[in-house]
Amino acid sequence: MMNPYIQGILFMAASLTISAFIGLACWRRRERPGAVALFVFICGILIWSFGLGMNILPLGQDWETFWTAVAFLGTAIIPPAWLIFALQYSGKEHVVTPTTVAFIAAVPVTSVALAFTGVIPPGDIVSGQAYGIFLGYVYLTIMASILLIVSMLFDAPAVYRQQIGLVLMGALIPWVATLSPAAEAGTGLPFIIMLAVLSVFAGAFRFHLFGDMPVLKERLLNGLTDGILVLDPAYRIVEINRRGEEIIGKTAPAILNKPAAEVINRFPELIAGYNGDEERAYIRSIKQSGGGLQHYELRIAPVTDRRSRTIGHTLIVRDISQLKQTEDALVSAHTKLSILSEITQHDIKNHLGVIRGYAGLLVDITPEGSDERLYTERIISASEMIDEQIAIARDYQNLGVKAPVWQGVEAVARQSARIVRFNNISLSIDLGRLEVYADPLFGKVFYNLFENAVRHGGGVTAIRIGFTPAGEGGILWIEDDGKGVDPDLKGKLFARNVGKNTGLGLFLIREILMITGIAIRETGKAGKGARFEIVVPAGSYRYADAGAEQ
């Protein structure tokens, strides 16, 4: 039979090793709720275990008294540390203030102080009045921590109950050990302590304590109209609310801990390109038994800890059928209005052609300088103005209809530069592979600015385009060497009906850019040329070769 000293030392060594390992793991996670308190709890177990282990050895009365005091120190650390952990673990972090900690630790701190100063010998601390006070404190701590964890156990979703159950077991074992006859004999304590540490170990690592903390309470989840699924880092379903069960058509027990791809159709398409750093969305349409379509938006986003490390994912399933029906109705109405508008514009342009044709004939047969000739030329000019207004109306009609897209700025500018080339104006572009997120009508911005330079620039011979980063955004600038903008017009240049022709060109530019939050301003100096600055916000520009947004 093994020597009892050796047996006790082996148990103690195992307990100390496991406790030290878990204590180190808790310290590394010290920024998470409850981790520091659990670390202190483990330190208490380490001190208690070491004191008891040394007390087993035949070292003499003085050493026995000393190691008894050490073991008592560990015993005194455990209750307050565990109560503070229970408060933080159960979501009551706001209660754990310095005042609360001082209040919770008052009794054990006083007891340890009395023991180590010799006012009450360590051997007498578990007898008499001191014993009654400390024992009452231990009972209150036990009741409070157990009630907190038990209430959490009942409120928590099923996936967290194993984790919480093991934590509860870890809470009970040391208290049973402290209050059992083994506390006096000391022979069974090393084994009992090791069981407690193993229980906490299982809760901490097997069931991801501090990694999969129940951050979404059942009552909150079930009160939402969207389906909410919580996924672990391996995309297994660890939580689902009632609405999610209704949408998927399966209950939580049937799908928990299963890969989301086995439960949700098209899940691979949803996470294609998703790297866990930013949200991604996917529209899924499902044909119903009656023949209609049900539309859902699936949106996946990372769940991060305080160090921005991904510890899971949330998947939101939203029924957008009504929104989709409204969108389809609006698209249908817009299509009909567009058809009517195109027909009307076509007929007006045909009539304008007739007016210009006959007016041209009248110009040829009326004497130059006569009133009739002047009136006829004004009719032609008015018809040309109407034609331009119809073209701008067509552009404005299409504004915002299609979703914004990433566009290579240099390619768009050169495609819009025909009017510049026809007027022998040199064009210099230094943009690299700059892309801007803008409405598909972004090319109209350059065309109208080029046309504005040709018509009103006063002898423009060169146009330059460049880009300058500014803070988190950037400035795309277009400047010419003309006469510049009249100072009286600068403040209202992009307002409607301001200008010498239709007064809509620069107004349309502003409207196109505003679709994606881009602004425009004129900063040139009169007599030195016009300079238009397009202010692009952060996230709306990037370089194609870098492959990343700025």
Side-chain angles (χ1 to χ4, degrees):
M1 186 174 181
M2 184 179 293
N3 188 299
Y5 290 137
I6 296 176
Q7 185 179 17
I9 290 172
L10 289 176
F11 276 126
M12 199 64 62
S15 177
L16 288 170
T17 302
I18 296 174
S19 297
F21 177 74
I22 296 178
L24 180 62
C26 292
W27 181 250
R28 288 176 177 173
R29 295 164 173 79
R30 58 187 178 275
E31 77 285 350
R32 303 185 186 180
V36 172
L38 186 58
F39 171 77
V40 175
F41 171 78
I42 295 295
C43 289
I45 291 181
L46 281 167
I47 296 170
W48 184 25
S49 300
F50 193 70
L52 288 176
M54 297 304 293
N55 215 359
I56 292 174
L57 301 176
L59 300 176
Q61 184 63 40
D62 291 342
W63 280 109
E64 183 178 344
T65 301
F66 173 76
W67 290 117
T68 299
V70 171
F72 176 71
L73 172 62
T75 305
I77 290 173
I78 292 173
W82 189 263
L83 180 56
I84 292 170
F85 166 75
L87 285 167
Q88 293 177 324
Y89 179 70
S90 59
K92 296 177 175 57
E93 293 180 78
H94 61 282
V95 177
V96 184
T97 62
T99 303
T100 305
V101 173
F103 177 77
I104 293 173
V107 171
V109 168
T110 303
S111 300
V112 169
L114 293 175
F116 274 83
T117 56
V119 175
I120 299 177
D124 296 341
I125 197 69
V126 291
S127 63
Q129 187 177 4
Y131 171 75
I133 294 173
F134 187 74
L135 187 61
Y137 168 80
V138 171
Y139 273 123
L140 286 174
T141 307
I142 293 171
M143 291 171 60
S145 59
I146 289 176
L147 284 174
L148 285 168
I149 298 175
V150 168
S151 64
M152 186 183 182
L153 182 65
F154 285 119
D155 289 341
V159 69
Y160 301 114
R161 288 175 184 164
Q162 284 179 301
Q163 175 195 113
I164 299 169
L166 284 169
V167 172
L168 181 60
M169 185 186 300
L172 290 172
I173 292 175
W175 309 135
V176 172
T178 305
L179 302 174
S180 69
E184 296 182 5
T187 54
L189 278 176
F191 179 72
I192 296 173
I193 294 170
M194 190 169 67
L195 286 179
V197 177
L198 285 172
S199 178
V200 177
F201 175 83
F205 295 96
R206 174 61 180 86
F207 293 98
H208 309 291
L209 180 61
F210 304 130
D212 296 330
M213 288 284 285
V215 293
L216 299 177
K217 300 297 183 181
E218 187 174 4
R219 282 170 288 186
L220 173 62
L221 289 175
N222 289 331
L224 298 176
T225 57
D226 295 335
I228 306 291
L229 292 88
V230 181
L231 312 180
D232 66 10
Y235 300 106
R236 292 186 296 264
I237 300 172
V238 296
E239 183 54 80
I240 184 171
N241 66 346
R242 292 197 187 100
R243 180 58 181 150
E245 292 177 330
E246 292 172 2
I247 293 175
I248 294 176
K250 296 180 181 179
T251 60
I255 63 175
L256 289 182
N257 297 319
K258 288 187 176 180
E262 294 182 8
V263 178
I264 302 171
N265 292 333
R266 305 287 181 90
F267 185 76
E269 286 91 335
L270 171 64
I271 62 170
Y274 172 71
N275 57 10
D277 293 335
E278 57 186 23
E279 189 178 84
R280 184 175 176 81
Y282 180 81
I283 303 297
R284 176 85 169 99
S285 299
I286 300 176
K287 192 171 184 179
Q288 303 298 303
S289 56
L293 286 177
Q294 198 81 4
H295 305 281
Y296 295 98
E297 179 189 55
L298 284 72
R299 191 172 295 273
I300 190 169
V303 177
T304 58
D305 60 14
R306 295 182 186 180
R307 292 186 179 179
S308 300
R309 294 176 297 188
T310 301
I311 59 173
H313 313 273
T314 55
L315 178 61
I316 301 176
V317 184
R318 177 170 298 166
D319 188 344
I320 59 169
S321 299
Q322 187 173 359
L323 181 63
K324 190 70 175 174
Q325 290 171 0
T326 303
E327 179 185 338
D328 292 342
L330 288 173
V331 170
S332 177
H334 182 272
T335 301
K336 293 176 181 178
L337 288 173
S338 296
I339 293 172
L340 177 61
S341 177
E342 288 177 3
I343 293 173
T344 303
Q345 291 173 12
H346 183 268
D347 291 343
I348 292 174
K349 289 175 70 69
N350 286 339
H351 291 303
L352 285 174
V354 173
I355 292 173
R356 285 198 296 268
Y358 282 116
L361 293 176
L362 289 175
V363 168
D364 293 338
I365 63 177
T366 52
E368 189 171 347
S370 64
D371 290 343
E372 290 82 357
R373 179 74 171 261
L374 177 62
Y375 298 152
T376 305
E377 288 174 346
R378 287 181 177 176
I379 290 173
I380 294 174
S381 177
S383 66
E384 290 175 347
M385 186 73 69
I386 292 172
D387 198 18
E388 286 185 20
Q389 289 176 330
I390 290 174
I392 291 176
R394 185 186 305 113
D395 291 337
Y396 201 83
Q397 170 186 301
N398 296 324
L399 184 62
V401 172
K402 295 182 180 179
V405 293
W406 287 101
Q407 303 174 57
V409 181
E410 181 170 346
V412 171
R414 292 195 182 281
Q415 289 171 2
S416 306
R418 184 173 57 180
I419 190 172
V420 174
R421 293 192 296 270
F422 284 171
N423 288 273
N424 296 318
I425 297 174
S426 68
L427 179 63
S428 174
I429 302 177
D430 183 16
L431 297 173
R433 301 187 66 181
L434 178 71
E435 293 184 345
V436 169
Y437 188 68
D439 188 89
L441 291 176
F442 185 53
K444 288 289 182 180
V445 172
F446 290 99
Y447 178 82
N448 285 350
L449 290 177
F450 293 154
E451 186 182 42
N452 190 73
V454 171
R455 284 189 174 185
H456 312 299
V460 171
T461 61
I463 295 176
R464 295 174 59 241
I465 302 176
F467 182 81
T468 305
E472 294 184 355
I475 296 175
L476 173 63
W477 46 266
I478 301 99
E479 61 182 18
D480 61 50
D481 61 353
K483 65 180 183 179
V485 176
D486 187 340
D488 294 335
L489 287 176
K490 278 185 177 288
K492 51 186 178 180
L493 195 59
F494 299 97
R496 185 179 176 185
N497 296 326
V498 174
K500 296 181 179 179
N501 290 317
T502 63
L504 294 174
L506 295 180
F507 170 74
L508 179 63
I509 286 176
R510 187 191 71 175
E511 295 294 298
I512 292 172
L513 295 175
M514 282 178 60
I515 292 291
T516 51
I518 302 174
I520 186 169
R521 62 197 181 201
E522 202 285 323
T523 61
K525 295 182 179 180
K528 294 186 178 180
R531 178 183 171 94
F532 291 92
E533 293 185 345
I534 297 173
V535 183
V536 186
S540 291
Y541 81 91
R542 68 184 183 185
Y543 288 94
D545 52 350
E549 294 183 22
Q550 304 299 308

